[in-house]
Coordinates of all heavy atoms in Angstrom, one line a residue:
D50 N 269.3 54.7 115.0 CA 268.1 55.5 115.4 C 268.3 57.0 115.6 O 267.3 57.8 115.7 CB 267.5 54.9 116.7 CG 266.9 53.5 116.4 OD1 266.6 53.1 115.2 OD2 266.8 52.7 117.4
D51 N 269.5 57.4 115.8 CA 269.8 58.8 116.1 C 269.6 59.5 114.8 O 269.7 59.2 113.7 CB 271.4 59.0 116.5 CG 271.7 58.4 117.9 OD1 270.6 58.2 118.6 OD2 272.9 58.2 118.1
E52 N 269.1 60.8 115.0 CA 268.8 61.7 114.0 C 269.9 62.7 113.8 O 270.5 63.1 114.8 CB 267.4 62.4 114.2 CG 266.2 61.5 114.2 CD 264.9 62.2 114.4 OE1 265.0 63.4 114.3 OE2 263.9 61.5 114.6
E53 N 270.0 63.3 112.7 CA 271.0 64.3 112.6 C 270.4 65.6 113.0 O 269.2 65.8 112.6 CB 271.4 64.5 111.0 CG 272.1 63.3 110.5 CD 273.5 63.2 111.1 OE1 274.1 64.2 111.3 OE2 274.0 62.1 111.3
P54 N 271.2 66.4 113.7 CA 270.6 67.7 114.2 C 270.3 68.6 113.0 O 271.1 68.7 112.0 CB 271.6 68.3 115.1 CG 272.9 67.5 114.8 CD 272.5 66.2 114.3
E55 N 269.2 69.4 113.1 CA 269.0 70.3 112.0 C 269.7 71.6 112.1 O 270.0 72.3 111.2 CB 267.4 70.6 112.0 CG 266.7 69.3 111.7 CD 265.1 69.6 111.6 OE1 264.7 70.8 111.5 OE2 264.4 68.7 111.6
I56 N 270.0 72.0 113.4 CA 270.9 73.2 113.6 C 272.0 72.8 114.5 O 272.0 71.9 115.2 CB 270.0 74.3 114.2 CG1 269.4 73.9 115.6 CG2 268.9 74.7 113.3 CD1 268.7 75.0 116.3
S57 N 273.1 73.7 114.5 CA 274.1 73.6 115.3 C 274.0 73.9 116.7 O 272.9 74.5 117.1 CB 275.4 74.2 114.7 OG 275.2 75.6 115.0
K58 N 274.9 73.6 117.6 CA 274.8 73.9 119.0 C 274.7 75.4 119.2 O 273.8 75.9 120.0 CB 276.0 73.3 119.8 CG 276.0 73.7 121.3 CD 277.0 73.0 122.0 CE 278.4 73.6 121.6 NZ 279.5 73.2 122.6
W59 N 275.4 76.2 118.6 CA 275.5 77.6 118.6 C 274.2 78.3 118.1 O 273.7 79.2 118.7 CB 276.7 78.3 118.1 CG 278.0 77.8 118.9 CD1 278.9 77.0 118.5 CD2 278.3 78.3 120.1 NE1 279.9 76.8 119.5 CE2 279.4 77.6 120.5 CE3 277.6 79.1 121.1 CZ2 280.0 77.8 121.8 CZ3 278.3 79.3 122.3 CH2 279.4 78.7 122.7
E60 N 273.7 77.8 117.0 CA 272.4 78.2 116.5 C 271.3 77.9 117.5 O 270.4 78.8 117.7 CB 272.0 77.5 115.2 CG 272.9 78.1 114.0 CD 272.7 77.2 112.7 OE1 272.4 76.0 112.9 OE2 272.6 77.9 111.6
A61 N 271.4 76.9 118.2 CA 270.4 76.5 119.2 C 270.4 77.5 120.3 O 269.5 77.9 120.9 CB 270.5 75.0 119.7
I62 N 271.7 77.8 120.8 CA 271.9 78.7 121.9 C 271.4 80.1 121.5 O 270.7 80.7 122.3 CB 273.3 78.8 122.2 CG1 273.7 77.4 123.0 CG2 273.6 79.9 123.2 CD1 275.2 77.3 123.3
V63 N 271.6 80.5 120.3 CA 271.1 81.9 119.9 C 269.6 81.9 119.8 O 268.9 82.8 120.3 CB 271.8 82.2 118.4 CG1 271.0 83.4 117.8 CG2 273.2 82.5 118.6
W64 N 269.0 80.8 119.3 CA 267.5 80.8 119.2 C 266.9 80.8 120.5 O 265.9 81.4 120.8 CB 267.1 79.5 118.4 CG 267.0 79.9 116.8 CD1 267.9 79.4 115.9 CD2 266.1 80.7 116.2 NE1 267.5 79.9 114.7 CE2 266.5 80.8 114.9 CE3 265.1 81.6 116.6 CZ2 265.8 81.5 113.9 CZ3 264.4 82.3 115.7 CH2 264.7 82.3 114.4
L65 N 267.5 80.0 121.5 CA 267.0 79.9 122.9 C 267.1 81.2 123.5 O 266.2 81.6 124.2 CB 267.9 78.8 123.6 CG 267.4 78.5 125.0 CD1 266.0 77.9 125.1 CD2 268.3 77.6 125.7
S66 N 268.1 82.0 123.3 CA 268.3 83.3 123.8 C 267.2 84.2 123.3 O 266.6 85.1 124.1 CB 269.6 83.9 123.5 OG 270.7 83.1 124.1
I67 N 267.0 84.2 122.0 CA 266.1 85.1 121.3 C 264.6 84.7 121.8 O 263.9 85.6 122.2 CB 266.1 84.9 119.9 CG1 267.4 85.6 119.3 CG2 264.8 85.6 119.2 CD1 267.5 85.3 117.8
L68 N 264.3 83.5 121.9 CA 263.0 83.0 122.4 C 262.7 83.3 123.9 O 261.7 83.6 124.3 CB 262.7 81.5 122.1 CG 262.6 81.2 120.6 CD1 262.5 79.7 120.3 CD2 261.5 82.0 120.0
T69 N 263.8 83.2 124.7 CA 263.7 83.6 126.2 C 263.4 85.1 126.3 O 262.5 85.4 127.1 CB 265.0 83.2 126.8 OG1 265.3 81.8 126.7 CG2 264.9 83.6 128.3
A70 N 264.0 85.9 125.5 CA 263.8 87.3 125.5 C 262.3 87.6 125.1 O 261.6 88.4 125.7 CB 264.7 88.1 124.6
W71 N 261.9 86.9 124.1 CA 260.5 87.1 123.5 C 259.4 86.6 124.6 O 258.5 87.4 124.8 CB 260.4 86.3 122.2 CG 259.1 86.4 121.6 CD1 258.1 85.5 121.5 CD2 258.4 87.5 121.0 NE1 257.0 85.9 120.9 CE2 257.2 87.3 120.5 CE3 258.9 88.8 120.8 CZ2 256.4 88.1 119.9 CZ3 258.1 89.8 120.1 CH2 256.8 89.4 119.6
V72 N 259.7 85.6 125.3 CA 258.8 85.0 126.2 C 258.8 86.0 127.4 O 257.7 86.2 128.0 CB 259.1 83.6 126.7 CG1 258.4 83.2 128.0 CG2 258.8 82.6 125.5
S73 N 259.9 86.6 127.9 CA 259.9 87.5 128.9 C 259.0 88.8 128.6 O 258.4 89.3 129.3 CB 261.3 87.8 129.4 OG 262.0 88.5 128.4
L74 N 259.2 89.3 127.3 CA 258.4 90.4 126.9 C 256.9 90.1 126.9 O 256.2 90.8 127.4 CB 258.9 90.8 125.5 CG 258.2 92.0 124.8 CD1 258.6 93.2 125.5 CD2 258.5 92.1 123.4
L75 N 256.5 88.9 126.4 CA 255.2 88.6 126.4 C 254.6 88.4 127.8 O 253.4 88.6 128.1 CB 254.9 87.3 125.6 CG 255.2 87.4 124.1 CD1 255.0 86.0 123.4 CD2 254.3 88.4 123.4
S76 N 255.5 87.9 128.7 CA 255.0 87.8 130.1 C 254.7 89.0 130.7 O 253.8 89.1 131.5 CB 256.2 87.0 130.9 OG 256.4 85.7 130.5
G77 N 255.5 90.1 130.3 CA 255.2 91.4 130.8 C 253.8 91.9 130.4 O 253.1 92.5 131.2
Y78 N 253.5 91.6 129.1 CA 252.2 92.0 128.5 C 251.1 91.2 129.2 O 250.0 91.7 129.6 CB 252.2 91.7 127.0 CG 252.9 92.7 126.2 CD1 253.8 92.3 125.2 CD2 252.8 94.1 126.5 CE1 254.5 93.2 124.5 CE2 253.6 95.0 125.7 CZ 254.4 94.5 124.8 OH 255.1 95.4 124.0
L79 N 251.4 90.0 129.6 CA 250.4 89.1 130.3 C 250.0 89.7 131.7 O 248.9 89.8 132.0 CB 250.8 87.6 130.3 CG 250.0 86.7 131.1 CD1 248.7 86.6 130.3 CD2 250.7 85.4 131.2
V80 N 251.1 90.1 132.4 CA 250.9 90.6 133.7 C 250.2 91.9 133.6 O 249.2 92.1 134.4 CB 252.3 90.8 134.4 CG1 252.1 91.7 135.7 CG2 253.0 89.5 134.7
D81 N 250.4 92.7 132.7 CA 249.6 93.9 132.5 C 248.2 93.7 132.2 O 247.3 94.3 132.6 CB 250.2 94.8 131.4 CG 251.5 95.4 131.7 OD1 251.8 95.5 133.0 OD2 252.4 95.8 130.8
A82 N 247.9 92.6 131.3 CA 246.6 92.3 131.1 C 245.8 91.7 132.2 O 244.6 91.9 132.4 CB 246.6 91.2 129.9
I83 N 246.5 91.0 133.0 CA 245.9 90.4 134.3 C 245.6 91.4 135.3 O 244.5 91.3 135.9 CB 246.9 89.3 134.9 CG1 246.9 88.1 134.1 CG2 246.5 89.0 136.3 CD1 247.9 87.0 134.5
E84 N 246.4 92.6 135.4 CA 246.0 93.6 136.2 C 244.8 94.3 135.9 O 244.0 94.8 136.7 CB 247.2 94.6 136.3 CG 248.4 94.0 137.1 CD 249.5 94.9 137.1 OE1 249.5 96.0 136.4 OE2 250.5 94.6 137.8
G85 N 244.4 94.4 134.5 CA 243.2 95.1 134.2 C 242.0 94.2 134.0 O 241.0 94.7 134.1
A86 N 242.2 92.9 133.9 CA 241.0 92.0 133.8 C 240.1 91.9 135.0 O 238.9 91.9 134.7 CB 241.7 90.6 133.4
P87 N 240.6 91.9 136.2 CA 239.6 91.8 137.3 C 238.6 93.0 137.3 O 237.4 92.8 137.6 CB 240.5 91.9 138.5 CG 241.8 91.5 138.1 CD 242.0 91.9 136.6
V88 N 239.1 94.2 136.9 CA 238.1 95.3 136.9 C 237.2 95.1 135.8 O 235.9 95.4 136.1 CB 239.0 96.6 136.6 CG1 238.0 97.8 136.5 CG2 239.9 96.8 137.8
S89 N 237.5 94.7 134.6 CA 236.6 94.7 133.5 C 235.7 93.4 133.6 O 234.6 93.4 133.3 CB 237.3 94.6 132.2 OG 238.2 93.6 132.0
W90 N 236.2 92.3 134.1 CA 235.5 91.1 134.2 C 234.8 90.9 135.5 O 234.0 90.0 135.8 CB 236.4 89.8 134.0 CG 236.9 89.7 132.6 CD1 236.6 90.3 131.5 CD2 238.0 88.8 132.3 NE1 237.5 90.0 130.5 CE2 238.1 88.9 130.9 CE3 238.6 87.7 132.9 CZ2 239.1 88.1 130.1 CZ3 239.6 87.0 132.2 CH2 239.8 87.2 130.9

Side-chain angles (χ1 to χ4, degrees):
D50 292 338
D51 290 344
E52 295 181 10
E53 291 293 322
E55 293 182 18
I56 59 175
S57 71
K58 178 176 71 170
W59 290 109
E60 288 174 321
I62 290 172
V63 167
W64 275 110
L65 185 61
S66 301
I67 291 170
L68 292 176
T69 301
W71 181 250
V72 167
S73 67
L74 179 71
L75 292 179
S76 297
Y78 288 132
L79 179 65
V80 168
D81 291 340
I83 286 176
E84 289 175 355
V88 175
S89 62
W90 292 353

